[in-house]
Amino acid sequence: MPEYKAFRVELKDKIAHVQINRPDKLNAMNADFWTEIIDVFRWADETDEIRVVVLSGAGKHFSAGIDLAMLGQLASQMGPDPARNADLMRRRISELQASFNAVDNCRKPVLAAVHGYCLGGGIDLITACDMRYATADAQLSIREVDMGLAADVGTLQRLPRIIGDGLARELAYTARTISGEEARQIGLVNRTYADYDALISGVFEIAAEIASKSPVAVRGTKRMLSYMRDHSIADGLEYVATWNSAMLQSADVRVAMAAFMSKQKPDFAD
C-alpha cells in the first residue's frame, strides 16, 4: 500500500478508504496534502481492484480547510513587482485546483464522510466528490469571505450545481456555519447519521453496494453524469450512444443477465 504524510490509505473488499491524517492539526490542508492527494487519487483511478473510494478525516474533524501556515509561506515569496506576484499566485491557485480536480476526475465513485469541522477548503474538497454524507452535528462553512477572499479551488464552481444558485450564494456571501442536518435538508449531503461510527458504517455499506456492481457500468455511469454538467441533453444522448456502442459488448452485460435470470449474485471481474 502507498504511504503518505498527510493521508492514511487502506484497501479492503474493493473499497479504498482515504483518510486525511493530520488530526492534531484539525486535518488542515498543508503542502503535503495538496501534492499527495493527486497521487492518492491517481492510485485509486489506476488500480483496477478499487471500485469505490471513501474519503474521511482522522480524529475529531473532517478538515478545517487550508493550513494558514502554507498561506504564510506563499506570502513570503512575494516581491515588489505586482505582475510577477500575480503570475506566481495564479500558478499556485491552478496547482491547488488540480489537486481537487484529481478527485473529481477519478473514474471511481468517491463518497465523502464528514464529521466535525468541514470548513473552507473542506467544502471545496467534498463538492468534488460524487456523494456526501455527514453526522447530524457536523459543522460546514464556506469561510473564504471571512478571510477577505473568494473561494478559488472549486466550491463556487461546483456547489451551485449541487444545491442551486441561490443557496450557494447565501452560504458563500455570509460564511455562516450549517449543521450536517441542514446540509441534508438543502441537498449538500445525501444522508446524516447520529455519530461518527454510524457514519462510517453507513457510508461503507453504501460503498459496498456500489462495489458489487459492474465496474464497467459504474464507471460509465459516472462519466455520463459528469459529462452532462457542461453539455446539453442532445450532446449527452449522443455521447452515451457512442460510449455504449463499445461498452455494451462487455462481458459484464452477459454476467449481469445470467445472474438476473438465475437469481444469483453476479461476480464481476475487476
Side-chain angles (χ1 to χ4, degrees):
M1 297 293 296
E3 294 187 4
Y4 302 97
K5 295 179 180 178
F7 293 91
R8 179 189 301 127
V9 296
E10 298 174 336
L11 173 56
K12 183 179 181 182
D13 298 330
K14 304 187 183 303
I15 302 170
H17 187 189
V18 177
Q19 193 171 51
I20 309 171
N21 192 32
R22 303 186 72 225
D24 56 325
K25 301 294 184 180
L26 308 183
N27 290 327
M29 302 169 175
N30 64 349
D32 289 329
F33 171 95
W34 293 99
T35 56
E36 289 181 352
I37 195 169
I38 295 177
D39 292 333
V40 168
F41 278 89
R42 182 183 297 118
W43 166 74
D45 187 81
E46 295 177 351
T47 302
D48 289 339
E49 185 182 352
I50 297 172
R51 297 189 182 181
V52 187
V53 180
V54 172
L55 178 64
S56 70
K60 296 181 179 180
H61 303 284
F62 178 77
S63 177
I66 193 167
D67 192 325
L68 296 182
M70 196 180 82
L71 293 180
Q73 292 173 359
L74 181 60
S76 70
Q77 298 173 26
M78 295 296 185
D81 189 328
R84 287 178 171 79
N85 288 341
D87 184 61
L88 172 65
M89 288 293 293
R90 192 177 193 283
R91 285 187 287 112
R92 189 65 181 120
I93 291 169
S94 294
E95 291 170 0
L96 300 182
Q97 290 174 348
S99 297
F100 289 166
N101 288 343
V103 179
D104 195 357
N105 295 333
C106 180
R107 293 178 303 145
K108 322 298 175 62
V110 183
L111 285 60
V114 178
H115 74 295
Y117 294 153
C118 180
L119 311 177
I123 302 294
D124 290 294
L125 176 54
I126 66 171
T127 56
C129 298
D130 292 85
M131 293 102 82
R132 291 149 294 279
Y133 304 88
T135 56
D137 63 355
Q139 299 178 60
L140 302 91
S141 176
I142 305 170
R143 285 291 174 89
E144 281 80 357
V145 292
D146 280 350
M147 298 173 62
L149 53 90
D152 55 11
V153 287
T155 289
L156 303 183
Q157 292 68 39
R158 296 185 174 103
L159 186 62
R161 299 172 185 270
I162 298 170
I163 65 172
D165 185 75
L167 279 171
R169 287 174 184 264
E170 176 187 323
L171 296 179
Y173 294 161
T174 64
R176 74 178 180 87
T177 299
I178 63 172
S179 68
E181 183 56 31
E182 183 176 355
R184 183 195 63 78
Q185 292 170 4
I186 66 175
L188 177 54
V189 303
N190 292 27
R191 303 180 193 178
T192 56
Y193 297 86
D195 54 36
Y196 176 79
D197 290 339
L199 169 70
I200 294 299
S201 176
V203 172
F204 269 88
E205 184 177 344
I206 296 167
E209 179 68 17
I210 297 171
S212 72
K213 309 299 183 184
S214 159
V216 172
V218 172
R219 292 196 298 265
T221 299
K222 174 168 182 174
R223 180 59 184 154
M224 294 308 115
L225 290 169
S226 296
Y227 182 85
M228 282 309 302
R229 288 183 303 190
D230 303 310
H231 296 83
S232 69
I233 292 175
D235 288 342
L237 289 171
E238 178 69 20
Y239 188 36
V240 75
T242 302
W243 183 278
N244 269 357
S245 65
M247 296 306 166
L248 285 175
Q249 301 179 59
S250 169
D252 288 16
V253 176
R254 296 190 295 274
V255 171
M257 291 293 184
F260 178 79
M261 296 299 293
S262 63
K263 297 182 180 180
Q264 295 179 346
K265 186 177 180 180
D267 183 16
F268 298 104
D270 292 332

